[in-house]
Amino acid sequence: MLVSYKNLNIYQQTEEPVLKVDDFHVDDGEFVYIIGRVGSGKSSLLKTIYCEVDAEDADEATVLSIDLKTIKRKQIPALRKQLGIIFQDFQLLADRTVYKNLRFVLRATGWGKSEVDKRINEVLSLVDMNDKALRMPHELSGGEQQRIAIARALLNSPKLIVADEPTGNLDPDTADGIMQILREISQKGTAVVMSTHNIPLLDKYPGIVYRCYEGKLEEVTGDYNKMRISEEE
């Protein structure tokens, strides 16, 4: 089990939890969607996985067999190294090329100089962006920047990818291309947990579906398409 939460209360500078999680789990190769309104707790849930939001108030809260209730601050970088994190706004370093963006991550996570070029070429090939290595982020389209963000997330061969609205700023065709890449990644054994407002994606790319609604997380895999989409916008 890559992620296992039981009776978790998530707080965001409030006395009352923003989200109550009775049972949430992710296993190898699973594709898990988190849906819900803006402000319903989707991002807060994802942030607990990489320890940007505390997950101390729980019966069980483990990520990659690490107990989040007792994790020490010095252990967090090692946990994050085993995760791939993708943001809606890409978060590429604007002052350096694609190659240097990726090299920065590899060097920061302990890769030797002799291994860096090979790994960068590998991940750029996975997202079909080898010809963009020397481009600056501002020279790329939104879809291309998100492909680079996915490549960055794959650098350390993560067991789990956390993607917060990765298609939110993209047109439908570009979003579809990003989803195809993420699905291929999950089919190779890397789990993906993705928040989204784009309900039609769930029909085209099926997965396990959880919904943040009225302060609680519930699994709705078999029922999400019966809900009013307006409830999720």
Side-chain angles (χ1 to χ4, degrees), residues 117-199:
D117 284 353
K118 179 182 178 183
R119 186 55 184 157
I120 289 174
N121 286 331
E122 288 173 347
V123 296
L124 288 179
S125 292
L126 288 172
V127 298
D128 195 25
M129 292 290 285
N130 283 93
D131 60 338
K132 307 294 184 181
L134 300 182
R135 296 288 185 89
M136 300 293 287
H138 72 268
E139 297 178 295
L140 304 176
S141 68
E144 289 172 335
Q145 289 189 63
Q146 194 60 290
R147 284 173 180 257
I148 298 303
I150 294 172
R152 180 183 58 195
L154 293 172
L155 284 169
N156 286 303
S157 302
K159 299 176 182 178
L160 171 65
I161 285 180
V162 179
D164 194 356
E165 296 278 2
T167 63
N169 290 330
L170 306 176
D171 65 79
D173 288 342
T174 304
D176 193 67
I178 295 300
M179 287 302 301
Q180 290 179 30
I181 293 171
L182 292 174
R183 291 298 297 198
E184 289 171 4
I185 290 168
S186 71
Q187 289 166 0
K188 293 177 181 177
T190 297
V192 176
V193 180
M194 168 183 163
S195 66
T196 185
H197 285 100
N198 193 339
I199 304 302

Side-chain angles (χ1 to χ4, degrees), residues 191-220:
V192 176
V193 180
M194 168 183 163
S195 66
T196 185
H197 285 100
N198 193 339
I199 304 302
L201 285 179
L202 280 61
D203 293 323
K204 190 168 184 180
Y205 301 98
I208 299 166
V209 184
Y210 287 88
R211 182 193 191 199
C212 298
Y213 185 65
E214 294 186 343
K216 294 183 178 180
L217 184 76
E218 56 183 350
E219 185 179 346
V220 294

Side-chain angles (χ1 to χ4, degrees), residues 46-102:
L46 297 186
K47 287 177 179 178
T48 63
I49 295 174
Y50 53 92
C51 298
E52 189 168 317
V53 169
D54 288 338
E56 297 175 349
D57 186 2
D59 289 343
E60 180 179 339
T62 61
V63 174
L64 305 182
S65 300
I66 296 174
D67 189 346
L68 300 188
K69 297 194 297 177
T70 59
I71 191 171
K72 301 292 190 293
R73 185 171 296 277
K74 64 182 180 181
Q75 296 174 297
I76 293 175
L79 171 61
R80 289 178 178 171
K81 184 178 178 180
Q82 299 179 72
L83 302 171
I85 305 171
I86 303 169
F87 303 95
Q88 181 177 351
D89 59 355
F90 321 131
Q91 295 196 11
L92 299 174
L93 299 171
D95 63 344
R96 60 196 73 187
T97 64
V98 166
Y99 171 83
K100 290 183 177 179
N101 264 271
L102 301 180

